[in-house]
């Protein structure tokens, strides 16, 4: 649950921004795949969500669900496969469609782990058209993406390579699936993605790992529950360091970044960013977040008991309270 977002909304600070999020591999498998259930709806009606999936049926189902709910934000799911270039590619459809990829499954490797062959082994293959995120957004007049989530089973680096313009001009944070072992033949691994994103100015904040035990093993350690095979990796820009892209270092973009950090459960980073904007731009009331910060922290019982007024984060903001 976000710490600061509701108070920022209540104090009208979110009225000045429009949040645009993009989910590549947007098949909805549960409530955690629905952005509105994760806090993003707080930005409505100033919210645009674009989902992409190669499965046209999954997109049709998602769009029907959005229409039935009569949401007060813009959201649409587009049946397109995104990659590093515009052209034709082979889609390898797996036993469970959620594991389908532009890379063939590495079945010889998968069979060594419990629960993977029945999901990831090949069912059939077909030729499909691919495009890039940059090309799609240019054609549709979409000028910026603030938050980018990618989960396309081994082809995640290809999506990034097809998003150079957006990464340079607007993307503030990324959640991306990374693999540490070749679940798909010749796929890029975590190190490839990490180097690419660091070169684009992003820093790794955390990994949410998934483990698998060997297929024939009847035992599992509680300390090391198998081999780490993949994870969701969380990357953010650092807009308050000195040598940052000048075009992105604005109080509005830092506010957006703070909001994304809050939604993605990095409240310490959100607090640092909101405090930075208040101290450096707080002479303008729309960038003075002191009241929202203190109200939010005051709702945390442990902080109230610790005498919130004495906290360094609060002491810095006292002179900015109206």
């Amino acid at each position: 649950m976000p710490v600061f977002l509701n108070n920022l909304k209540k104090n009208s600070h979110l009225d000045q921004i429009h949040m645009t999020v993009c989910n590549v591999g947007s098949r909805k498998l549960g409530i955690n795949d629905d952005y509105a259930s994760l806090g993003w709806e707080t930005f409505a009606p100033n919210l645009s969500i674009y989902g992409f999936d190669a499965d046209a049926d999954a997109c049709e189902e998602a769009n029907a669900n959005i229409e039935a709910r009569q949401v007060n934000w813009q959201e649409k799911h587009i049946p397109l496969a995104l990659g590093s270039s515009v052209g034709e590619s082979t889609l390898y459809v797996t036993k469970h469609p959620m594991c389908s990829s532009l890379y063939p499954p590495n079945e010889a490797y998968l069979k060594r782990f419990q629960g993977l062959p029945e999901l990831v082994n090949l069912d059939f293959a077909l030729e499909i058209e691919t495009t890039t995120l940059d090309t799609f957004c240019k054609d549709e007049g979409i000028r910026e993406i603030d938050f980018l989530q990618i989960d396309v089973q081994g082809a995640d680096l290809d999506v990034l390579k097809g998003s150079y313009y957006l990464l340079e001009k607007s993307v503030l944070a990324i959640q991306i699936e990374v693999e540490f072992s070749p679940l798909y033949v010749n796929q890029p691994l975590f190190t490839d993605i990490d180097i690419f994103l660091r070169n684009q100015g992003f820093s790794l904040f955390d990994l949410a790992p998934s483990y698998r035990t060997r297929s024939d093993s009847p035992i599992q350690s509680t300390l090391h529950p198998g081999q780490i095979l993949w994870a969701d990796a969380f990357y953010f820009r650092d807009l308050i360091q000195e040598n940052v892209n000048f075009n992105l270092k604005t109080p509005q973009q830092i506010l957006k970044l703070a909001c994304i950090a809050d939604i993605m459960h990095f409240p310490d980073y959100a607090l640092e960013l909101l405090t930075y904007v208040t101290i450096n731009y707080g002479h303008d009331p729309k960038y003075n977040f002191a009241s929202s910060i203190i109200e939010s922290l005051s709702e945390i019982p442990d902080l109230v008991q610790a005498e919130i007024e004495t906290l360094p984060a609060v002491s810095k903001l006292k002179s900015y309270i109206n």
Side-chain angles (χ1 to χ4, degrees), residues 69-85:
R69 287 157 57 189
Q70 296 183 326
V71 301
N72 64 333
W73 63 86
Q74 178 189 10
E75 179 172 352
K76 61 180 179 179
H77 296 260
I78 303 101
L80 283 176
L82 298 184
S84 60
S85 61

Side-chain angles (χ1 to χ4, degrees), residues 5 10 23 33 39 46 56 70 82 102 114 142 145 163 165 170 174 190 238 242 250 309 318:
L5 214 56
K10 183 184 71 173
N23 185 0
D33 298 310
N46 301 325
Q70 296 183 326
L82 298 184
L102 296 178
Q114 294 182 11
I142 301 170
I145 299 292
S163 310
Y165 180 82
S170 68
I174 298 171
F190 165 70
D238 183 355
E242 293 183 2
T250 67
E309 296 82 3
K318 286 182 179 179

Side-chain angles (χ1 to χ4, degrees), residues 244-275:
V244 74
N245 184 327
F246 181 78
N247 293 328
L248 289 174
K249 192 171 184 176
T250 67
Q252 187 175 90
Q253 292 299 91
I254 300 174
L255 169 58
K256 281 188 177 185
L257 180 59
C259 291
I260 296 171
D262 198 23
I263 288 178
M264 302 308 294
H265 305 287
F266 295 94
D268 60 314
Y269 190 38
L271 174 59
E272 181 186 31
L273 294 166
L274 292 172
T275 301

